[in-house]
Amino acid sequence: MTGLTLVTLLDDLLTSAVAVIPNPPARQFIAHGSNALDCEHVSVEIVDASVSPIDPAMCAGIDTITFAVEVVRCYIAATGDNPIPAASGIGADSYTIAFDLGALMGGLGDRWEAGTLFPSLPALDCGQVQIIGAQPVGPEGGYAGWRLTVTVQP
């Protein structure tokens, strides 16, 4: 595993994520660590990198990189003029965020099955990639979204 391979994986995953989200947020970036929920964005970050031994006697192992893809949108929030957000606003924003998750999971899943999730590394096969699951992000500060975990063994 090289730094160039990590950067390539980050770039490919961000490109794939942006491609499958309808009307993706304009802010699209590679991040380090968790992001502040202060603006709509699509980001990718490394959340774990490890080497799992497959033969300790030979010091051989398998690199495992875990990425998080985050999609965050505006979300209705309490304000001084509106201390209790309307249920209809919560529902509408939640629908948009749920749609993002469906597009992200479905779109990245389709690319994973087609072998195009990481186009710069065509030697990766679908057995080396796992789309593990999604966790909600927020709502906080008027923003909410999803964080999808993807594990790669290049």
Side-chain angles (χ1 to χ4, degrees):
M1 175 66 58
T2 67
L4 181 58
T5 304
L6 286 174
V7 170
T8 300
L9 290 168
L10 285 162
D11 286 340
D12 280 355
L13 190 53
L14 180 61
T15 298
S16 288
V18 169
V20 301
I21 299 167
N23 302 312
R27 288 187 71 208
Q28 304 162 3
F29 55 91
I30 304 301
H32 178 78
S34 298
N35 301 298
L37 297 183
D38 60 359
C39 190
E40 290 193 342
H41 66 264
V42 179
S43 66
V44 175
E45 67 186 72
I46 296 171
V47 294
D48 185 64
S50 61
V51 178
S52 303
I54 55 172
D55 187 348
M58 296 178 62
C59 296
I62 298 173
D63 293 330
T64 303
I65 311 300
T66 303
F67 299 93
V69 179
E70 192 170 89
V71 181
V72 173
R73 301 282 189 173
C74 292
Y75 192 85
I76 193 166
T79 65
D81 295 338
N82 183 22
I84 301 174
S88 60
I90 293 170
D93 288 352
S94 296
Y95 178 83
T96 299
I97 292 167
F99 192 82
D100 281 345
L101 177 62
L104 190 63
M105 289 189 73
L108 294 184
D110 290 347
R111 286 175 173 243
W112 171 50
E113 290 172 4
T116 60
L117 184 56
F118 296 98
S120 297
L121 296 171
L124 281 177
D125 66 39
C126 65
Q128 294 172 277
V129 179
Q130 291 181 309
I131 299 174
I132 297 184
Q135 301 81 36
V137 174
E140 180 180 312
Y143 297 92
W146 289 99
R147 186 176 175 89
L148 182 69
T149 304
V150 178
T151 298
V152 180
Q153 292 180 326

